[in-house]
Amino acid sequence: MPLAPPPTAGYNSPVPPVSQTIRLKVLFFGRLKELTGHAEDSVEFADAATIEQLFASYAARHPELAKYRSSVVASRNQEFAAWDTPLRSGDEVAFLPPVSGG
């Protein structure tokens, strides 16, 4: 009786990746807070996601948000961030609407 596995099940055979999630704190300001119904949210999201994907997930639940996408500014951990910025567990993401002044 052989002790080694058959050649088709090699030692380094691929293992399917495990889907990871990260926990984020999400803040909404101004009109965005009104549209989502809350100023702060805590959410689990897919690992390796970007700020753009996070915003899109909220826009899917609150379609009115999509109208503001071109003028919204995002921040990660209290610093302005590009929409393609990757997110990590524990990040705080804020979405800031355009501000008009007089």
Side-chain angles (χ1 to χ4, degrees), residues 11-102:
Y11 179 75
N12 290 323
S13 61
V15 175
V18 175
S19 176
Q20 298 287 327
T21 60
I22 56 175
R23 178 152 296 277
L24 306 167
K25 179 178 180 180
V26 185
L27 306 174
F28 298 95
F29 292 91
R31 179 80 175 121
L32 306 180
K33 178 173 73 172
E34 296 169 15
L35 293 173
T36 60
H38 49 272
E40 184 177 314
D41 194 16
S42 180
V43 64
E44 283 195 14
F45 209 71
D47 192 15
T50 64
I51 291 174
E52 179 80 52
Q53 292 168 319
L54 178 64
F55 187 84
S57 75
Y58 280 98
R61 287 180 274 163
H62 308 281
E64 190 75 15
L65 279 178
K67 295 179 184 177
Y68 291 86
R69 168 56 187 88
S70 63
S71 57
V72 167
V73 175
S75 73
R76 189 189 82 179
N77 301 328
Q78 300 180 3
E79 293 183 11
F80 290 116
W83 288 94
D84 62 352
T85 300
L87 299 171
R88 290 183 226 110
S89 193
D91 281 349
E92 176 186 88
V93 179
F95 294 111
L96 307 128
V99 178
S100 62

